[in-house]
Amino acid sequence: MKGLESLLRAAEKGCPDTAVLITSCTESHSKANVGRPIGEALKTTLEVMRTALAEGIRVQAYCSMAFGCPFEGETDPNVVLEIAEAYAEGGAHVIGLADTLGHATPEQTRALVEQALKKTEPYQAEISLHMHDTKGRAQANCYEGLQLGVRQFDAAVGGCGGCNFAPGAEGNLSTQGLLAVLNHAEMEHGVDELGLQSAHEFLENKLGRTLRSCSADGWSSQQ
């Protein structure tokens, strides 16, 4: 609850208005990440969710390792759907399906998103996608979600990010890569792409390394 308490104090000053919560979808990762089995971790997550909602805070809840696990291999989609449904029943505004390892395929993404949409439809919760780009398929996976009606995606400038407890996982889908998908689909996004390029260059200079950008040409030519 300490994180939520900090969020509530910040919210009083008009800062953040969304609580981001996570439950792992495999026992091994859940124990490695939070030191608890899935059942206990989900129970705690739902308790925090109820408190946040009671305080008027929006909730964005993630199903981590939804597409694969570094310890167990394939993730059971039924477990993912059970967690997603529990989030929806609990009142989460957004439910994120996270490819934390970055191994998901477009076919796998489409199948899981379709099932998650059916499970959560009665509760009017929005489905989002959080894709890592370890295998270079994050753009294609987001495009599958976009075609199914998903309108919220996570991305990071230059593809930064990762997971301490996901051996082999590389960074998130780059923001430039996501915009390439949206532009290809002729979706308005309102992002200042010149400003984004400046931010990309600034971050490269600060980190002292080249960051990924995922050009539009490289992705759309495969469609």
Side-chain angles (χ1 to χ4, degrees):
M1 287 286 188
K2 290 183 178 180
L4 179 60
E5 291 170 356
S6 297
L7 175 64
L8 293 175
R9 286 195 295 271
E12 291 176 355
K13 301 177 182 179
C15 295
D17 64 351
T18 302
V20 177
L21 309 176
I22 299 172
T23 303
S24 297
C25 297
T26 67
E27 294 291 355
S28 298
H29 185 260
S30 183
K31 291 173 182 176
N33 197 36
V34 298
R36 297 180 180 182
I38 294 174
E40 291 182 14
L42 179 59
K43 181 180 178 181
T44 299
T45 299
L46 294 175
E47 290 173 354
V48 174
M49 182 187 301
R50 283 192 289 271
T51 302
L53 292 171
E55 293 291 337
I57 300 292
R58 284 177 54 82
V59 172
Q60 186 161 331
Y62 283 89
C63 303
S64 179
M65 295 294 168
F67 297 89
C69 173
F71 309 113
E72 299 183 17
E74 292 187 11
T75 299
D76 183 350
N78 291 318
V79 175
V80 181
L81 296 173
E82 288 173 5
I83 293 173
E85 188 171 24
Y87 285 159
E89 289 179 346
H93 298 87
V94 179
I95 298 169
L97 303 178
D99 181 24
T100 320
L101 195 57
H103 285 195
T105 66
E107 297 77 15
Q108 186 183 16
T109 302
R110 173 171 285 272
L112 190 59
V113 169
E114 285 179 337
Q115 294 176 77
L117 287 170
K118 290 178 182 177
K119 279 283 188 181
T120 59
E121 184 179 11
Y123 308 98
Q124 298 183 329
E126 181 180 357
I127 295 295
S128 72
L129 286 175
H130 175 101
M131 292 292 175
H132 288 238
D133 206 25
T134 308
K135 297 292 185 179
R137 294 191 288 257
Q139 286 175 291
N141 293 335
C142 286
Y143 186 67
E144 290 296 325
L146 192 66
Q147 290 182 308
L148 293 171
V150 176
R151 292 296 181 267
Q152 182 162 323
F153 304 88
D154 294 340
V157 175
C160 292
C163 179
N164 293 336
F165 298 102
E170 294 193 13
N172 297 284
L173 169 63
S174 70
T175 307
Q176 296 94 321
L178 177 59
L179 294 191
V181 175
L182 299 178
N183 290 336
H184 176 79
E186 299 183 346
M187 297 288 294
E188 294 186 9
H189 50 70
V191 175
D192 178 354
E193 297 191 51
L194 291 178
L196 176 60
Q197 183 58 34
S198 296
H200 181 96
E201 294 170 359
F202 174 82
L203 195 55
E204 281 188 328
N205 289 332
K206 288 297 182 180
L207 296 177
R209 60 186 176 89
T210 300
L211 301 176
R212 68 177 68 189
S213 61
C214 299
S215 69
D217 293 340
W219 175 77
S220 60
S221 63
Q222 302 174 27
Q223 303 309 302

